[in-house]
């Protein structure tokens, strides 16, 4: 069973291993490439949580190493809105890690963080992420033109949201943009 836990100093090597994958490094805004940068990345997760800005946690199975990462960023405390993101280590993909992580992130966002609406977006040519969103109960809300910027290129984006009142089930698995 997957669960979320805080990133720990001892996870720095695992984090570097995850970001050594070009695809992940391409999509992420802050890419640690040294042990010191990985430690700083982990410290930043803790700092953002302490500041109430975002909670980023490792997805693990039992007492195992991090398999992935999920984050809930508070985009509007005034309106109770957050932004969810996730990634899975290349060696742990296709095993439901991101789906479980996104569901747990939603529980965290609606529960501990007291948010009402959680949003997320994926480039249209990322059907795996679309499936994760849908399986975690994030309803499709349309396409936003060139919303996401990766590697200097802008991408049309499938936008999803889940409300605190939405169950995780019942979202059709048809990919956005088809
Ligand atoms: C997208 C990503 C998070 C999925 O993580 P994961 O842990 O493998 O996801 P899950 O196992 O929970 O589910 C993925 C599903 O999408 C499917 N999938 C993956 N790539 C796919 C593709 N190109 N086309 C269609 N389906 C795809 C998988 O087969 C799986 O479905 P299945 O269980 O029926 O086999 C992972 O590939 C990743 O980290 N990518 C890089 C970062 C990223 O894109 N993050 C999301 C940003 S919006």
């Amino acid at each position: 069973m997957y669960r979320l836990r805080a990133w720990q100093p001892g996870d720095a090597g695992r984090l570097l291993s995850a970001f050594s994958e070009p695809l992940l490094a391409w999509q992420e805004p802050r890419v640690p490439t040294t042990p010191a940068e990985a430690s700083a990345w982990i410290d930043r997760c803790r700092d953002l949580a302490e500041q109430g800005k975002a909670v980023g946690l490792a997805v693990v199975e039992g007492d195992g190493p991090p398999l992935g990462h999920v984050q809930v960023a508070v985009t509007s405390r005034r309106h109770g809105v957050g932004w969810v993101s996730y990634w899975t280590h290349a060696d742990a993909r296709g095993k439901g890690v991101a789906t479980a992580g996104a569901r747990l992130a939603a529980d965290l966002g609606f529960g501990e963080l007291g948010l009402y609406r959680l949003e997320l977006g994926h480039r249209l040519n990322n059907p795996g992420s679309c499936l994760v969103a849908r399986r975690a109960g994030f309803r499709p809300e349309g396409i936003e033109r060139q919303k996401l910027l990766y590697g200097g290129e802008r991408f049309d984006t499938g936008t999803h949201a889940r409300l605190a009142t939405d169950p995780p089930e019942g979202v059709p698995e048809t990919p956005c943009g088809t």
Side-chain angles (χ1 to χ4, degrees):
M1 171 136 62
Y2 298 120
R3 65 186 182 90
L4 303 182
R5 69 153 167 82
W7 284 89
Q8 297 162 1
D11 297 325
R14 182 72 179 158
L15 192 62
L16 286 176
S17 162
F19 280 111
S20 68
E21 183 205 10
L23 173 67
L24 191 54
W26 175 70
Q27 287 205 177
E28 286 296 306
R30 287 177 193 80
V31 179
T33 58
T34 65
E37 287 175 3
S39 296
W41 190 99
I42 291 168
D43 289 347
R44 189 165 183 276
C45 276
R46 186 199 55 231
D47 293 346
L48 288 173
E50 286 175 2
Q51 294 160 13
K53 292 180 178 172
V55 178
L57 298 168
V59 185
V60 299
E61 187 167 25
D63 293 329
L67 303 173
H69 172 73
V70 293
Q71 179 178 276
V72 183
V74 179
T75 49
S76 171
R77 178 58 67 188
R78 157 77 176 83
H79 296 289
V81 178
W83 179 265
V84 170
S85 54
Y86 40 76
W87 53 256
T88 299
H89 192 294
D91 70 13
R93 296 208 178 128
K95 297 175 181 171
V97 170
T99 300
R103 283 184 173 221
L104 291 165
D107 293 344
L108 175 85
F110 298 136
E112 193 179 316
L113 297 180
L115 301 172
Y116 181 75
R117 175 181 162 89
L118 294 174
E119 302 172 339
L120 68 79
H122 60 84
R123 54 188 161 80
L124 285 184
N125 60 352
N126 192 353
S129 180
C130 185
L131 204 45
V132 168
R134 288 165 182 265
R135 288 176 176 175
F138 288 76
R139 275 70 178 155
E141 292 193 338
I143 294 168
E144 291 181 276
R145 294 174 305 140
Q146 301 192 18
K147 178 172 185 171
L148 297 178
L149 176 66
Y150 296 126
E153 189 181 350
R154 303 205 72 91
F155 289 86
D156 288 354
T157 299
T159 297
H160 296 247
R162 184 172 157 190
L163 307 182
T165 48
D166 287 336
E169 300 82 14
V171 187
E173 295 193 352
T174 321
C176 291
T178 58

